[in-house]
Amino acid sequence: MSGRLLRLVCTAAVAVGTALAPLPAAAVPAPEPRERSVADLVTDLQRLYREAEEATETYNATEEKLKEKRAEVTRLDTQLSKARLSLHDSRGAAGRLARQQYQNTTNFSPYVRLLLARDPQHALDQGHVIGQLARERAVTVGRLTGTEHRAGELARRARSALDDQLTLAARQKRARDDVQAKLADVEALLASLTAEQLTRLAEFEEKGVEKAQEELTTSGALGEEDRKPTRRGETALRYARRQLGKPYEWGAEGPRTYDCSGLTSEAWAHAGTPIPRTSQEQWARLPRIPLKSLRPGDLVIYFPKATHVAMYMGRGKVIEAPRTGERIKVSPIAAHPLLGAVRPDRRDRPQTARTRKGDDQPPATEAR
């Protein structure tokens, strides 16, 4: 091959290679950002709300433990104050006995004094008195020792309870910060959406609830719908109805705002049946019932971790404090993924039409 031809081939090869070489990164046009689907947005939003509610229930549980610990610290402090006053009195009595013993000290034993006495009967009476004093001294010393031991034990328990209180207070602060962080995530997501996206998101979520509700009701899982509440159940339900329209607020127990378990626990407390404060404890400690046995006043628990609760009102509806930014409202029972149901008044019998008429007050004592 001639030198001229060789140069032409090399030039062509270089040109082809340059044409086929990838463009620099800066020259590659960036793909247009894909708009997130409504389904993705709903999934993310529901996850954030669920995480916020889980954090809220953790906060509520810690708050309840902190209340109990504060009450324990107060009780122990009161007992310790009484024990210290008793200890002061016991020490005073012991001091008086010690002075009496010192003032009555003699080198003669009671037996020698008895032998030397001119009046043996008087000596015997004196010996009886001495014995009585000795017994009183033993009782006083024993009381002093016991009071010292009790005061020391109470002081130890009071210090331990105070340490627990401080630990719970720190845990409560962390739980509060966690709730606020989760809610900030929700707000950030909502703030990033356009008005059109928010509308589509609400419609998509509503259609999902309608579908879930239809599937639940047509499946027969709720059974018959003519069951009557108990007297207590009706009182609790009446209380919940009066709260309709009030704002949701995490950690709140009324009377102006509520979270989900704050509403249900206050309603049943008003009916004379105190129940646990949190939805998780309500699920764990109250008697569980099948959905087909639901009657008005029962509690419906949602999500795998039992982090949401509502009160059943009949006909497939519940009253709930839904989530931040919303108000207490009537919702379909399938508004959230169902976990199960519990009954605070399991031993009470449902009312008949006659017993329900005019019954506005809860009974004085709870059925056992």
Side-chain angles (χ1 to χ4, degrees):
M1 180 180 299
S2 67
R4 177 182 174 82
L5 182 57
L6 180 60
R7 284 194 301 272
L8 290 175
V9 171
C10 291
T11 301
V14 170
V16 172
T18 302
L20 297 178
L23 293 172
V28 177
E32 291 294 328
R34 183 178 63 87
E35 183 178 346
R36 300 177 64 191
S37 69
V38 175
D40 289 341
L41 290 174
V42 167
T43 299
D44 286 350
L45 187 60
Q46 290 179 343
R47 174 182 57 81
L48 292 174
Y49 274 125
R50 186 169 63 252
E51 290 175 354
E53 197 147 37
E54 289 175 7
T56 297
E57 290 301 286
T58 299
Y59 172 88
N60 290 339
T62 305
E63 173 67 14
E64 288 302 296
K65 291 178 182 177
L66 186 55
K67 288 180 183 177
E68 294 173 2
K69 192 57 64 175
R70 284 170 179 157
E72 182 183 358
V73 169
T74 300
R75 177 176 56 81
L76 288 172
D77 284 345
T78 301
Q79 292 180 354
L80 182 57
S81 297
K82 292 179 179 179
R84 284 172 173 165
L85 287 174
S86 178
L87 180 58
H88 177 75
D89 294 341
S90 297
R91 283 174 175 166
R96 288 191 297 273
L97 283 176
R99 287 193 297 273
Q100 291 173 4
Q101 184 178 10
Y102 175 76
Q103 292 167 358
N104 294 329
T105 298
T106 177
N107 293 327
F108 298 102
S109 71
Y111 304 104
V112 174
R113 290 201 303 273
L114 178 61
L115 292 174
L116 298 178
R118 294 181 180 180
D119 185 353
Q121 182 61 46
H122 175 71
L124 286 173
D125 292 341
Q126 192 177 33
H128 174 74
V129 172
I130 292 172
Q132 181 66 27
L133 289 173
R135 286 190 293 273
E136 290 178 2
R137 183 163 56 248
V139 170
T140 300
V141 173
R143 185 183 300 118
L144 174 62
T145 303
T147 306
E148 286 179 336
H149 177 75
R150 174 168 172 74
E153 176 63 18
L154 284 171
R156 184 193 65 78
R157 289 168 57 190
R159 286 193 299 270
S160 176
L162 183 58
D163 289 343
D164 291 344
Q165 178 180 327
L166 294 174
T167 300
L168 284 170
R171 186 186 305 170
Q172 182 193 40
K173 182 181 182 302
R174 291 194 298 270
R176 181 196 63 199
D177 293 344
D178 191 23
V179 174
Q180 292 174 340
K182 299 297 184 185
L183 291 177
D185 292 339
V186 172
E187 292 174 0
L189 176 58
L190 292 176
S192 69
L193 302 179
T194 64
E196 182 184 357
Q197 286 176 313
L198 290 172
T199 300
R200 287 161 50 199
L201 187 146
E203 292 174 350
F204 186 90
E205 197 170 16
E206 184 177 352
K207 289 179 180 178
V209 170
E210 290 176 354
K211 180 181 179 182
Q213 182 76 3
E214 183 179 3
E215 291 176 351
L216 180 66
T217 54
T218 57
S219 69
L222 296 181
E224 301 176 358
E225 281 297 325
D226 60 350
R227 288 180 295 278
K228 301 295 186 289
T230 63
R231 185 180 179 186
R232 294 169 190 269
E234 186 173 24
T235 302
L237 187 57
R238 188 181 302 118
Y239 179 92
R241 283 197 185 102
R242 289 201 298 268
Q243 314 315 311
L244 288 171
K246 292 184 178 181
Y248 175 100
E249 182 182 3
W250 68 270
E253 303 174 71
R256 294 181 177 85
T257 59
Y258 297 84
D259 63 16
C260 66
S261 56
L263 175 64
T264 55
S265 61
E266 285 298 306
W268 273 102
H270 183 77
T273 306
I275 63 174
R277 167 64 176 88
T278 69
S279 60
Q280 293 169 327
E281 284 297 297
Q282 290 169 10
W283 173 246
R285 293 167 53 185
L286 295 178
R288 299 180 185 180
I289 58 169
L291 292 178
K292 65 180 180 180
S293 299
L294 275 171
R295 67 189 183 200
D298 290 340
L299 303 182
V300 182
I301 311 296
Y302 296 96
F303 299 109
K305 294 184 180 180
T307 51
H308 188 69
V309 61
M311 180 175 292
Y312 191 63
M313 61 181 299
R315 300 186 179 278
K317 302 289 186 180
V318 296
I319 296 178
E320 64 165 345
R323 59 195 185 190
T324 297
E326 297 190 20
R327 295 179 178 271
I328 297 173
K329 63 180 182 179
V330 175
S331 300
I333 189 176
H336 315 282
L338 282 161
L339 178 61
V342 295
R343 176 167 291 167
D345 57 343
R346 182 182 61 176
R347 296 183 182 277
D348 290 358
R349 299 184 64 179
Q351 300 179 96
T352 62
R354 175 177 298 179
T355 60
R356 292 181 64 191
K357 185 177 181 180
D359 281 343
D360 292 334
Q361 299 298 323
T365 57
E366 181 180 358
R368 298 291 181 188

